[in-house]
Amino acid sequence: MSYIDGFVAAVPNDKKQEFLDHSRIAGAVFKRYGALKTVENWGDDVPMGEVTSFPQAVQCKDTETVVFSWVVWPSKDVRDAGWAKIMEDPEMSPDANPMPFDGKRLIFGGFETLLET
């Protein structure tokens, strides 16, 4: 089954287009190194929780929107090899493709797919 990298970030509302531009470049790089697809989602109905929530997890400010993204890989092995190349790719350097959000508040992780329906 596939392997998924998931990401949650808080992006400044006035940097939505910059985020989209950044994501297009990153998506092409990810696919170059084996990703099947990348998906970027701009928060629309993301409530603040009482104990936990997406906004709380990334310390989302009133001037930001929660973004939920994922990358689909054919396997963990392809993902691991791909990430090694992505980290070395000049298009992904902070100078070439800066993140238009606070990377310190980015949440990410790799997930083994258990079920697809």
Side-chain angles (χ1 to χ4, degrees):
M1 278 203 181
S2 59
Y3 194 84
I4 307 297
D5 278 317
F7 309 87
V8 181
V11 178
N13 295 329
D14 63 352
K15 293 192 176 187
K16 185 175 184 180
Q17 186 59 51
E18 288 177 49
F19 176 77
L20 189 56
D21 295 343
H22 166 83
S23 297
R24 282 193 177 111
I25 293 168
V29 172
F30 276 65
K31 289 182 84 176
R32 181 181 313 142
Y33 297 119
L36 299 175
K37 71 177 176 178
T38 64
V39 180
E40 304 292 347
N41 301 278
W42 190 261
D44 177 57
D45 183 15
V46 187
M48 181 66 75
E50 290 185 25
V51 178
T52 63
S53 67
F54 281 116
Q56 289 170 311
V58 293
Q59 301 172 0
C60 193
K61 300 173 184 168
D62 291 341
T63 58
E64 297 175 322
T65 297
V66 173
V67 172
F68 178 60
S69 310
W70 69 90
V71 180
V72 180
W73 300 92
S75 68
K76 186 174 189 307
D77 288 342
V78 172
R79 178 262 202 172
D80 290 347
W83 265 110
K85 294 173 184 171
I86 289 165
M87 298 308 291
E88 298 298 320
D89 192 295
E91 284 188 272
M92 293 301 290
S93 76
D95 293 332
N97 190 21
M99 292 189 302
F101 55 89
D102 181 1
K104 292 177 184 171
R105 293 186 284 143
L106 172 70
I107 297 172
F108 62 93
F111 300 84
E112 178 183 327
T113 300
L114 295 178
L115 174 68
E116 288 184 33
T117 61

